[in-house]
Amino acid sequence: QMEIQSTGAWDAYQIFSHCAQSVEFSMSAFPVHKSFIFKSTLGAIAFSAFASKGKMTHGLDEEIPGAPAIKSSHDIQVALKRLEKSLIEFKKYKGELAPHFAYGQLTKQEYAFAHVMHLNNHLKEIEAFKV
C-alpha cells in the first residue's frame, strides 16, 4: 500500500482539490479576475515565460482568488477522483473556455499546458512511499 503526503503548507487533499478547481473554472468561470491591464500585460508575459520553459512556479499555498476555501481532509481518494473527473471533462469539453483569472483568454491547447504545468508545480510537494 502507498502512503501519499505533502511536504508543503497544504495537505494532499487540498492540493489535488485546488488543481481540480482550476480545471473546473477553466470550463465555467473563475470567480475573481485580475484587471484587464494585468491580464493583457504581466499575465500574458508570465504565461509565455512559463510556456517557453515548460514549467510554472507560483505560491503553492495560494488559493484561486474568490474560490471557496478547501478545508484539510484525509480522504485523498476523493480529491484524486475529482481531479481525474475534471481532466476527463476538460478533454471532452467543446464549449467556449473561460478566461483565466491572471493569463486572460487561452486556447484549449494553452489551457491544457497550463493545467499540466500547474499540477506539476504542485506535485513537487507530494511524496509517496510504501507502508
Side-chain angles (χ1 to χ4, degrees), residues 21-32:
Q21 229 178 20
S22 180
V23 176
E24 293 161 358
F25 286 146
S26 72
M27 295 179 283
S28 58
F30 284 87
V32 174

Side-chain angles (χ1 to χ4, degrees), residues 7-52:
T7 60
W10 286 350
D11 66 24
Y13 174 88
Q14 290 170 300
I15 290 170
F16 296 135
S17 296
H18 166 80
C19 290
Q21 229 178 20
S22 180
V23 176
E24 293 161 358
F25 286 146
S26 72
M27 295 179 283
S28 58
F30 284 87
V32 174
H33 285 258
K34 298 219 178 249
S35 72
F36 173 78
I37 299 277
F38 180 93
K39 289 191 288 189
S40 59
T41 57
L42 295 176
I45 291 167
F47 179 77
S48 292
F50 294 151
S52 69

